């Protein structure tokens, strides 16, 4: 769609419910500017815009507004005369909006009203403020003093979307029709090779989405306009953007796209069927040819582990080759089953025939492989299990003969668990050896060997005696290891208990350290009154009891480690730094706890004396003495708050942060000041009474 560069014309439609124009036609506004106006571009724009409304709309006629306020008279005259050539039959009235300073009368000597018959329409010169005499204000935009809301660029954008959709959908429809008709011809003439490369140039989904979005926008904008909403809306949208045309194109496009999707499905099904046929013949030809030949060249079961291993390796290689073709069979079978569930009746017979042929050949070959594997597995598994069991017994014996070096409880627990697992594994392997040995003996007793379906008896007593001797030897070795495990288990359990005691003792030291840290950092409040301070004292006593229990628990654990080390004949591990650390932390906690008690007791005395003064029940002399006591205790407590806790090793530590101590000190000083003011008031009252 093309628009001239000077300014785009816009069309407005007057609705019956709003418009009061007797003609009830369309309004065509031609804004002219001071720049040179191209009549060729203006004519092309008019031709384009007049081709948009329906014949019914154009039959009601046009009211043309030529805005000449920013143009010259000769240009206005040329535009009006041009309307005679472009749309004379459709124009009913031409309103030329003149500027405030009217053109020179010498220039405007041309009288349009005298040329009405020649022009074919009436032309009037009118000022912008008097244009409402001919057109209702609700049908005029704000530039003419009207109230009609109209966004021309929004209309242009929607028109561009509409024309783009129309062009793409029409082109896509033509392509889809050609594709669908071509596919229909191919189905009638099956010998004709299908043209699988013919695809639409546009994505149908994208075009459909564009159309749905456009239709939704048109419907929503029309609804909002009819409700009188505040959204900018052109009353011509429903006709200029041709909502019915969009719906018709969408319906046609959906119909052809549905057919095209079916065409694609049929193409895919045909291609898949041809591919399946090719793969089925590949599988069948290999299994009946090279696969069968491999089975014929393999025979015998071997009389030793080496011979059975060699035969087993060859058989595994053969199975590996067959597995690749069996995997293809499984995939093909799934594809055939899917086609059978959704296939046409004409394909069912062919698909079932392929499926049956493929299944018969694969199952027959798999059965032959399984029979061969069972014969080889009986001898090979027994010798393999015997070898594994012998290695497990050697490993278990090596663990039992090695000295146990204590490292930590977790390592000992892991070693003990590993030992138990090895013993359990040996027991399971021995049970499996007996089972496999009996299977080999039964097979040797009933049927010794086979070759091409013919039985060949052999002497197998020596092999049976060998198998029984191996099982008896393994049983004796397992019993000896089991006795040694019982002894090692007892020693390891004692070591686990030793490391657990040491670990718990170290944990007790950490807990005691955490309690000390909590005492210094969080137990800093002295209480706001005597009752709260007493409650803090009780809470502190319970806190000390917890610490005492932790310390006693650590001492008991360290004593237990001494007893266990003596039993295991190893150096006591508790003689390291655990006991000194426990005692050091406990001494630090004791000193800190005592300091905490002293401060709480002083705070309790301070609050108790202060409360006596605040109650005012004492004589003036006693109140004075009590305040002096409060002041003395308060100052002592303030001094104590500034002193750190000195540990036995000489190190120092403060309660809480400097801010916490400052807050407590401020509270004590404020209370002392309050008591001093109270005492002063009481003294004044007493002297006044006297």
């Amino acid at each position: 769609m093309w628009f001239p560069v000077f300014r785009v014309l816009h069309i407005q439609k007057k609705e019956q419910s709003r418009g009061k124009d007797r003609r009830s036609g369309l309004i065509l506004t031609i804004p002219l500017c001071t720049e040179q106006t191209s009549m060729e571009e203006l004519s092309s724009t008019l031709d384009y815009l007049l081709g948009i409304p329906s014949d019914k709309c154009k039959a009601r006629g046009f009211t043309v507004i030529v805005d000449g306020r920013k143009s010259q008279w000769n240009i206005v005259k040329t535009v009006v005369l041009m309307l005679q050539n472009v749309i004379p039959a459709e124009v009913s009235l031409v309103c030329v909006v003149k500027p405030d300073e009217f053109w020179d009368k010498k220039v405007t000597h041309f009288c349009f009203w005298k040329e009405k018959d020649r022009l074919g329409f009436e032309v009037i010169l009118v000022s912008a403020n008097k244009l409402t005499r001919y057109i209702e204000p609700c049908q005029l935009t704000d530039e003419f003093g009207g109230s009609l809301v109209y966004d021309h660029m929004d209309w242009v954008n929607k028109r561009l979307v509409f024309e783009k959709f129309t062009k793409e959908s029409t082109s896509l429809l033509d392509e889809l029709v050609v594709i669908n008709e071509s596919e229909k011809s191919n189905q009638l003439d099956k010998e004709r090779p299908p043209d699988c490369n013919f695809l639409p140039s546009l994505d149908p989904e994208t075009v459909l989405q564009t159309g749905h979005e456009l239709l939704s926008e048109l419907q929503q904008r029309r609804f909002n306009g009819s409700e009188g909403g505040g959204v900018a809306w052109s009353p011509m949208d429903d006709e200029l953007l041709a909502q019915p045309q969009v719906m018709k194109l969408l319906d046609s496009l959906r119909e052809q796209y549905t057919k095209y999707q079916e065409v694609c499905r049929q193409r895919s099904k045909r291609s898949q069927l041809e591919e399946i046929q090719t793969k089925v013949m590949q599988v069948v030809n290999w299994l009946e040819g090279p696969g069968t030949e491999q089975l014929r060249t393999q025979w015998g079961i071997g009389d030793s582990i080496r011979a059975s291993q060699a035969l087993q390796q060859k058989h595994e290689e053969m199975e590996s080759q067959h597995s690749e073709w069996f995997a293809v069979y499984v995939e093909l079978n799934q594809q055939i089953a899917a086609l059978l569930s959704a296939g046409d009746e004409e394909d069912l017979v062919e698909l079932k025939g392929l499926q049956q042929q493929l299944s018969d050949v694969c199952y027959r070959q798999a059965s032959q492989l399984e029979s061969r594997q069972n014969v080889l597995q009986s001898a090979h598994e027994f010798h393999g299990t015997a070898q594994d069991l012998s290695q497990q017994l050697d490993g278990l014996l090596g663990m039992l003969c090695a000295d146990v070096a204590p490292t930590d409880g977790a390592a000992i627990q892991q070693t003990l668990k590993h030992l138990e697992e090895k013993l359990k594994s040996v027991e399971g392997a021995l049970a499996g050896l007996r089972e496999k040995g009996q299977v080999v003996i039964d097979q040797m007793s009933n049927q010794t060997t086979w070759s091409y379906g013919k039985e060949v008896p052999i002497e197998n007593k020596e092999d049976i005696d060998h198998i029984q001797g191996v099982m008896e030897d393994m049983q004796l070795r397992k019993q000896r290891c089991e006795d040694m495990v019982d002894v090692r288990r007892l020693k390891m359990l004692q070591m686990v208990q030793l490391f657990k005691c040491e670990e718990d003792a170290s944990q007790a030291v950490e807990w005691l350290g955490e309690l000390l840290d909590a005492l210094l950092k969080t137990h800093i409040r002295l209480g706001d009154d005597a009752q709260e301070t007493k409650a803090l004292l009780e809470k502190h006593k319970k806190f000390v009891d917890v610490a005492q229990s932790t310390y006693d628990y650590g001492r008991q654990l360290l004593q237990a480690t001494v007893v266990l080390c003596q039993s295991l004949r190893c150096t006591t591990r508790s003689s390291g730094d655990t006991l000194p650390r426990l005692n050091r932390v406990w001494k630090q906690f004791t000193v800190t706890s005592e300091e905490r008690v002293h401060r709480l007791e002083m705070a309790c005395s301070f609050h108790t004396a202060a409360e006596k003064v605040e109650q005012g029940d004492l004589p003036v002399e006693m109140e004075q003495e009590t305040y002096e006591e409060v002041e003395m205790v308060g100052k002592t407590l303030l001094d104590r708050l500034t002193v750190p806790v000195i540990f036995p090793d000489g190190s120092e530590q403060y309660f809480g942060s400097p801010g916490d101590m400052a807050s407590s000190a401020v509270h004590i000083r404020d209370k002392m000041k309050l008591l001093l003011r109270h005492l002063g008031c009481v003294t004044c009252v007493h002297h006044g009474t006297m």
Side-chain angles (χ1 to χ4, degrees):
M1 184 175 65
W2 175 88
F3 291 99
V5 296
F6 54 95
R7 284 191 66 182
V8 179
L9 290 80
H10 54 275
I11 297 179
Q12 305 163 1
K13 177 186 176 182
K14 302 185 291 297
E15 296 180 285
Q16 294 293 342
S17 60
R18 294 185 181 182
K20 297 181 180 179
D21 194 333
R22 297 187 184 92
R23 301 180 183 87
S24 187
L26 303 177
I27 298 176
L28 176 63
T29 302
I30 304 177
L32 302 178
C33 57
T34 56
E35 300 176 0
Q36 184 64 30
T37 303
S38 172
M39 293 298 115
E40 182 180 355
E41 293 180 349
L42 181 59
S43 177
S44 299
T45 305
L46 286 172
D47 289 339
Y48 170 77
L49 291 176
L50 293 174
I52 295 176
S54 63
D55 294 338
K56 181 180 179 181
C57 291
K58 289 190 287 188
R60 293 196 295 265
F62 289 92
T63 295
V64 181
I65 301 176
V66 179
D67 188 359
R69 290 176 292 179
K70 297 181 181 180
S71 183
Q72 299 176 0
W73 163 250
N74 58 343
I75 296 177
V76 174
K77 177 182 176 182
T78 303
V79 170
V80 173
L81 293 176
M82 184 187 67
L83 294 176
Q84 179 185 13
N85 299 324
V86 178
I87 51 173
E90 288 84 359
V91 176
S92 301
L93 174 65
V94 175
C95 295
V96 178
V97 182
K98 61 184 180 179
D100 294 337
E101 296 180 0
F102 192 52
W103 297 292
D104 190 346
K105 292 185 178 180
K106 295 181 181 180
V107 179
T108 58
H109 67 279
F110 183 82
C111 299
F112 285 112
W113 63 271
K114 295 180 179 180
E115 301 293 331
K116 178 177 180 182
D117 295 335
R118 183 171 67 86
L119 293 175
F121 48 79
E122 181 182 359
V123 180
I124 60 174
L125 296 176
V126 64
S127 300
N129 56 359
K130 296 181 180 180
L131 192 60
T132 54
R133 295 179 179 179
Y134 305 94
I135 303 173
E136 291 295 327
C138 64
Q139 305 304 320
L140 293 174
T141 56
D142 57 352
E143 59 185 330
F144 299 117
S147 60
L148 178 65
V149 179
Y150 175 73
D151 187 344
H152 186 59
M153 291 309 300
D154 180 68
W155 179 86
V156 170
N157 293 331
K158 293 301 181 294
R159 185 66 190 179
L160 287 172
V161 174
F162 166 74
E163 292 194 357
K164 180 177 181 292
F165 167 72
T166 303
K167 180 180 178 181
E168 292 181 349
S169 60
T170 304
S171 175
L172 180 60
L173 274 174
D174 295 338
E175 293 178 359
L176 291 179
V177 169
V178 172
I179 295 174
N180 295 337
E181 291 299 327
S182 176
E183 182 66 20
K184 186 176 181 181
S185 300
N186 292 336
Q187 291 179 356
L188 296 177
D189 187 5
K190 294 187 177 181
E191 296 181 357
R192 177 184 175 184
D195 185 7
C196 298
N197 297 323
F198 189 18
L199 299 174
S201 59
L202 297 172
D203 180 21
E205 293 287 348
T206 303
V207 178
L208 281 171
Q209 182 179 359
T210 302
H212 284 301
E213 291 176 355
L214 176 61
L215 182 61
S216 177
E217 177 70 15
L218 292 177
Q219 292 173 342
Q220 182 65 29
R221 289 161 62 85
R222 184 173 184 178
F223 173 77
N224 291 339
S226 64
E227 293 294 330
V231 181
W233 173 77
S234 168
M236 274 296 291
D237 280 351
D238 56 338
E239 291 192 27
L240 297 185
L241 295 183
Q243 178 178 328
Q245 185 177 354
V246 175
M247 296 176 63
K248 183 178 180 180
L249 284 173
L250 282 175
D251 293 339
S252 300
L253 190 58
R254 278 193 294 265
E255 179 183 359
Q256 292 300 324
Y257 182 49
T258 302
K259 294 180 181 180
Y260 172 71
Q261 287 177 318
E262 178 63 22
V263 168
C264 292
R265 190 185 70 81
Q266 292 295 335
R267 287 180 180 178
S268 176
K269 187 182 69 173
R270 284 198 305 269
S271 176
Q272 189 175 9
L273 182 58
E274 293 173 358
E275 183 181 358
I276 287 175
Q277 289 175 341
T278 302
K279 290 184 178 180
V280 166
M281 294 313 300
Q282 290 177 351
V283 175
V284 171
N285 291 336
W286 190 90
L287 292 179
E288 291 183 343
T292 302
E293 187 64 24
Q294 286 182 0
L295 281 172
R296 289 174 182 172
T297 58
Q298 298 294 325
W299 62 279
I301 61 172
D303 56 357
S304 64
I305 181 63
R306 182 170 299 176
S308 64
Q309 285 178 341
L311 292 172
Q312 185 70 18
Q313 184 176 359
K314 291 181 180 180
H315 185 75
E316 289 175 355
E317 294 174 356
M318 186 168 53
E319 278 188 332
S320 178
Q321 295 181 11
H322 280 76
S323 297
E324 296 178 0
W325 292 98
F326 288 153
V328 177
Y329 157 71
V330 173
E331 181 181 355
L332 288 174
N333 196 39
Q334 293 176 351
Q335 294 178 3
I336 293 174
L339 290 177
L340 285 173
S341 62
D344 299 330
E345 293 185 1
E346 59 182 10
D347 300 329
L348 292 180
V349 177
E350 184 178 0
L351 287 171
K352 288 183 178 180
L354 288 173
Q355 188 180 43
Q356 188 63 42
Q357 181 185 11
L358 185 63
S359 298
D360 291 344
V361 175
C362 290
Y363 277 116
R364 182 172 63 249
Q365 198 76 358
S367 178
Q368 294 176 2
L369 284 171
E370 184 179 6
S371 299
R372 175 66 179 167
Q373 182 182 16
N374 291 337
V375 173
L376 293 174
Q377 198 72 17
S378 297
H380 178 266
E381 286 187 357
F382 173 79
H383 291 288
T385 304
Q387 182 176 345
D388 292 342
L389 178 58
S390 179
Q391 293 175 354
Q392 291 184 37
L393 288 170
D394 291 341
L396 180 58
L397 184 61
M399 288 183 61
L400 294 172
C401 294
D403 190 17
V404 180
T407 55
D408 56 68
I412 294 299
Q413 285 279 20
Q414 187 65 28
T415 303
L416 181 58
K417 180 181 178 182
H418 187 47
L419 192 63
E420 296 286 355
E421 290 176 351
K422 274 190 167 294
L423 181 60
K424 186 176 181 180
S425 178
V426 166
E427 293 175 350
L430 182 59
L433 182 67
R434 293 196 191 99
E435 182 180 352
K436 291 179 176 60
Q438 190 60 45
V439 170
V440 175
I441 292 173
D442 292 341
Q443 288 183 347
M444 290 182 178
S445 301
N446 298 329
Q447 187 176 3
T448 57
T449 186
W450 57 271
S451 178
Y452 298 103
K454 183 179 180 181
E455 295 183 3
V456 180
I458 61 171
E459 182 66 31
N460 54 20
K461 184 177 183 303
E462 183 178 351
D463 293 333
I464 294 176
D465 292 340
H466 171 72
I467 292 172
Q468 291 177 343
V470 170
M471 291 190 293
E472 292 173 358
D473 180 62
M474 295 297 175
Q475 175 63 35
L476 292 175
R477 291 177 60 186
K478 180 258 181 183
Q479 186 61 47
R480 289 196 297 270
C481 289
E482 196 172 30
D483 295 339
M484 295 177 67
V485 167
D486 292 338
V487 177
R488 179 58 60 90
R489 184 187 296 111
L490 178 60
K491 184 176 181 180
M492 285 187 172
L493 290 175
Q494 289 180 337
M495 293 180 68
V496 169
Q497 189 175 3
L498 168 64
F499 288 120
K500 180 62 177 174
C501 289
E502 292 181 350
E503 181 181 353
D504 291 347
S506 297
Q507 183 64 55
V509 175
E510 293 181 7
W511 288 343
L512 197 58
E514 292 174 358
L515 292 174
L516 173 60
D517 188 61
L519 179 59
L520 286 169
K521 293 182 179 180
T522 61
H523 292 218
I524 55 178
R525 282 187 50 78
L526 298 177
D528 296 334
D529 51 41
Q531 183 177 0
E532 184 180 357
T533 303
K534 291 178 182 179
L536 289 174
L537 274 170
E538 290 298 324
K539 182 179 179 180
H540 179 72
K541 289 179 181 179
K542 295 179 181 179
F543 185 77
V544 173
D545 292 341
V546 173
Q548 181 69 52
S549 301
T550 304
Y551 173 72
D552 295 340
Y553 176 64
R555 294 281 299 183
Q556 293 172 2
L557 290 172
L558 292 174
Q559 292 174 0
T561 58
V562 175
V563 176
L564 288 172
C565 286
Q566 292 175 353
S567 175
L568 293 171
R569 298 179 182 179
C570 63
T571 304
T572 175
R573 301 177 65 86
S574 62
S575 61
D577 63 343
T578 306
L579 181 59
R581 287 193 301 116
L582 179 65
N583 290 331
R584 182 172 63 254
V585 175
W586 175 246
K587 290 178 181 179
Q588 292 176 349
F589 182 87
T590 302
V591 171
T592 306
S593 175
E594 291 174 354
E595 177 62 22
R596 172 67 174 167
V597 171
H598 290 160
R599 294 186 181 188
L600 288 174
E601 289 177 348
M602 292 178 66
C604 185
S605 300
F606 173 78
H607 288 306
T608 301
E611 290 172 0
K612 290 181 180 179
V613 175
E614 290 175 346
Q615 290 174 359
D617 297 335
L618 300 175
V620 176
E621 294 79 5
M622 292 187 65
E623 282 191 356
Q624 182 65 34
E625 294 176 0
T626 305
Y627 173 74
E628 292 176 357
E629 179 185 353
V630 170
E631 184 179 20
M632 180 186 65
V633 175
K635 290 181 178 180
T636 304
L637 182 57
L638 289 173
D639 293 339
R640 191 122 190 177
L641 290 177
T642 61
V643 177
V645 180
I646 301 176
F647 296 140
D649 59 359
S651 60
E652 299 178 354
Q653 184 69 43
Y654 286 90
F655 276 96
S657 63
D660 297 331
M661 293 298 99
S663 176
S664 299
V666 168
H667 178 72
I668 294 173
R669 291 191 184 97
D670 291 343
K671 196 160 189 176
M672 292 173 63
K673 292 177 181 179
L674 180 64
L675 292 176
L676 180 60
R677 289 195 297 269
H678 175 76
L679 182 61
C681 293
V682 171
T683 303
C684 291
V685 171
H686 176 71
H687 289 310
T689 304
M690 293 176 62

